Amino acid sequence: MKILISADMEGATGVTWPADVEPGTEQWQRCRAMFTSDVNGAIEGFYAGGATEVVVNEAHSTMRNLLLERLDDRAVMLTGRHKDLSMVEGVQHGDVDGLAFVGYHCGAGDEGVLAHTYLPNSITGVWLDGVPASEGRLNARVAAAYGTPVVLVTGDDRACADAAGYAPAARTAAVKDYVSRYAAVCRPPARTRADIAEAARAATALAGRTEPVRHGPLTVEIEVDAAQLAGAAALVPGVAQVAERRVRYTSPDAYEMIRCFKAVTTLIANAVEPLYG
Ligand SMILES: [Zn+2]
């Protein structure tokens, strides 16, 4: 039984502040160990539950955050960026029995610790077929297209509540409780690692490939905080600026949907100016 862990950092133990997840800062160096501890908890739990193979796909920023030298040596890790399916790279091979979102967070505009969708700011809301969509919801849709269920979600308590909307059967482990976008009541890593391991162990029973879900067409709307960002997004063929600060596109399937999302967010990020945004 093969498990894929998509590991993002904003929802990791102890993380509440931009510098905690900003590569190169002193705080990021410190938080990498707690992030790695969360992932190790998941690996430990999945093996205890009966998994035979665990692959970790780094999903934060340039995707070079986890400490390989401290990773549970039963797992392997895909590190570095520029991957076909980005945060859920690996799920497209059709041999993943269960997907885990470790360190996930709420979507742009939501109340959650470090809430955002792809870009740290500039995007104020994302909707998939009219439903507010976090990264978890978008990535779960991609996984379903390849017959892989989401079995575990960890993050703050709000990210776990969000998971109930897109993967209601998944086990969850909250490592911290939301207070504000930049504050949380945090539990120490020794405790959260055990909580994640227990949730992962139970989640293994939910793993099992399903018929690939043929979604589509899928419509995505993205709201940004400045008009020129909508203009930049609309440079992608098929993406229309439908209001001053809103764009919309429709994709034939989940694969095209997430790839267009990546293209749009890349262009938006490129059009953000220092200070004024
Ligand atoms: Zn993220």
Side-chain angles (χ1 to χ4, degrees):
M1 178 190 297
K2 181 175 179 177
I3 301 290
L4 176 66
I5 297 175
S6 170
D8 202 358
M9 196 169 183
E10 285 87 354
T13 296
V15 165
T16 66
W17 191 251
D20 294 348
V21 294
E22 178 63 27
T25 69
E26 208 175 300
Q27 273 301 101
W28 170 75
Q29 288 291 5
R30 175 178 158 259
C31 291
R32 296 173 78 186
M34 292 192 279
F35 181 28
T36 306
S37 168
D38 286 5
V39 170
N40 277 336
I43 297 168
E44 192 182 304
F46 282 124
Y47 276 108
T52 53
E53 188 180 355
V54 178
V55 176
V56 181
N57 178 43
E58 282 224 42
H60 173 71
S61 186
T62 54
M63 303 177 170
R64 296 165 61 252
N65 309 277
L66 290 167
L67 300 167
L68 180 64
E69 59 274 36
R70 292 197 204 169
L71 199 73
D72 188 311
D73 60 14
R74 290 170 292 183
V76 292
M77 180 170 94
L78 173 50
T79 187
R81 69 172 172 178
H82 305 305
K83 299 174 285 195
D84 208 20
L85 280 180
S86 190
M87 298 181 77
V88 287
E89 175 67 19
V91 80
Q92 71 269 41
H93 304 313
D95 62 349
V96 178
D97 299 293
L99 177 62
F101 293 157
V102 172
Y104 267 49
H105 50 82
C106 286
D110 274 359
E111 290 186 324
V113 179
L114 293 166
H116 70 285
T117 305
Y118 270 59
L119 305 182
N121 47 44
S122 306
I123 292 176
T124 53
V126 176
W127 294 263
L128 177 59
D129 287 337
V131 178
S134 59
E135 291 164 14
R137 181 177 289 273
L138 295 172
N139 290 330
R141 192 62 72 96
V142 175
Y146 295 99
T148 298
V150 176
V151 297
L152 174 72
V153 179
T154 82
D156 70 349
D157 56 334
R158 301 297 177 102
C160 293
D162 180 51
Y166 63 79
R171 295 289 179 146
T172 59
V175 301
K176 55 196 172 191
D177 295 331
Y178 169 84
V179 172
S180 79
R181 193 171 180 225
Y182 300 124
V185 178
C186 295
R187 289 176 274 288
R191 206 167 132 195
T192 57
R193 178 173 172 153
D195 290 346
I196 292 172
E198 178 47 34
R201 192 194 58 73
T204 320
L206 305 169
R209 297 189 51 72
T210 61
E211 266 303 299
V213 181
R214 304 257 171 256
H215 303 287
L218 296 164
T219 296
V220 174
E221 282 200 30
I222 303 169
E223 186 188 71
V224 289
D225 64 5
Q228 96 278 5
L229 303 181
L235 289 170
V236 178
V239 176
Q241 185 168 359
V242 294
E244 248 182 1
R245 295 182 293 101
R246 195 179 269 253
V247 295
R248 181 191 301 150
Y249 66 88
T250 298
S251 299
D253 54 39
Y255 177 78
E256 295 299 336
M257 178 277 288
I258 202 72
R259 286 165 62 81
C260 188
F261 192 76
K262 180 76 183 159
V264 163
T265 52
T266 301
L267 284 170
I268 292 172
N270 193 55
V272 175
E273 300 297 344
L275 289 181
Y276 283 74

